[in-house]
């Protein structure tokens, strides 16, 4: 198991644990649910839906996207899965419940997402050194545009620039 896979697993488990604690502390007693397996099933469903949405919105693409993009994707996925869970909960008990505990859990998950994304990004670039690269360009303008790309030097180590020549 690579260190990045382990980091992703820790992130998923922590997000799910935050939701599960919220569910057990606030919603199970409020909904008068005493069956422990119901809470576990909701937690597993939450985990599965979050992982699926996370893959769709590329929540785990550390090194590919900036930290801000990762946090936005994670926030969107967390918001969608929380919304789906709330709707499922409301439909299953046929009454509205207080969404504030779920919103609080989302806030804690958001803080965790920021911390995780920042740490995972730093670790990714510490482990994965820039790739040795040769740039083939058509015009000087293309080369200037390439230099404007942010974070380019963190991903690539340019060793040579080669102009494209026509035969």
């Amino acid at each position: 198991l690579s260190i990045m896979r382990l980091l992703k697993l820790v992130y998923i488990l922590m997000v799910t644990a935050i939701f599960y604690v919220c569910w057990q502390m606030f919603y199970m007693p409020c909904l008068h649910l005493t069956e422990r397996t119901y809470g576990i099933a909701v937690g597993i469903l939450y985990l599965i839906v979050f992982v699926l949405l996370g893959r769709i919105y590329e929540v785990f693409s550390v090194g590919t996207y900036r930290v801000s993009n990762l946090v936005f994707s994670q926030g969107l996925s967390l918001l969608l899965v929380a919304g789906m869970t709330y709707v499922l909960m409301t439909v299953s008990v046929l009454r509205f419940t207080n969404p504030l505990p779920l919103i609080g859990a989302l806030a804690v998950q958001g803080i965790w997402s920021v911390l995780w994304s920042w740490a995972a990004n730093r670790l990714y670039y510490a482990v994965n050194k820039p790739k040795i690269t040769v740039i083939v360009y058509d015009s000087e303008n293309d080369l200037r545009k390439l230099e404007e790309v942010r974070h380019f030097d963190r991903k690539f180590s340019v060793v040579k620039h080669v102009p494209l020549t026509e035969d």
Side-chain angles (χ1 to χ4, degrees):
L1 200 65
S2 74
I3 188 127
M4 293 311 291
R5 286 186 188 266
L6 183 63
L7 269 177
K8 293 172 187 179
L9 182 64
V10 166
Y11 176 75
I12 292 167
L13 293 177
M14 187 66 167
V15 163
T16 305
I18 292 167
F19 168 78
Y20 188 73
V21 167
C22 172
W23 178 264
Q24 289 296 109
M25 288 180 64
F26 297 104
Y27 292 111
M28 287 289 283
C30 170
L31 300 173
H32 307 294
L33 299 171
T34 56
E35 188 68 37
R36 183 182 165 107
T37 55
Y38 187 76
I40 293 171
V42 169
I44 291 170
L45 179 66
Y46 184 91
L47 181 130
I48 291 169
V49 172
F50 176 70
V51 169
L52 291 174
L53 286 175
R55 290 180 62 117
I56 291 169
Y57 292 111
E58 299 187 23
V59 164
F60 311 112
S61 297
V62 177
T64 305
Y65 299 111
R66 296 185 319 202
V67 171
S68 58
N69 293 356
L70 285 175
V71 171
F72 179 78
S73 296
Q74 291 163 353
L76 180 61
S77 296
L78 290 169
L79 187 63
L80 288 173
V81 73
M84 288 178 202
T85 305
Y86 183 77
V87 167
L88 181 67
M89 175 179 50
T90 301
V91 168
S92 68
V93 296
L94 299 175
R95 67 182 170 121
F96 288 103
T97 55
N98 187 359
L100 290 180
L102 196 56
I103 293 170
L106 274 171
V108 173
Q109 288 171 332
I111 292 167
W112 169 247
S113 291
V114 170
L115 294 173
W116 182 87
S117 296
W118 177 79
N121 199 47
R122 289 186 59 102
L123 183 64
Y124 176 86
Y125 286 115
V127 171
N128 298 299
K129 300 299 179 201
K131 306 223 182 311
I132 296 173
T133 308
V134 174
I135 295 179
V136 178
Y137 63 95
D138 190 24
S139 69
E140 292 293 326
N141 189 33
D142 294 338
L143 197 56
R144 269 185 262 121
K145 285 192 186 290
L146 192 59
E147 290 171 359
E148 294 173 8
V149 175
R150 294 181 64 199
H151 306 292
F152 184 80
D153 55 337
R154 292 180 80 182
K155 293 182 183 181
F156 305 102
S157 173
V158 178
V159 294
K160 192 173 183 181
H161 295 87
V162 178
L164 182 67
T165 57
E166 292 187 26
D167 294 333

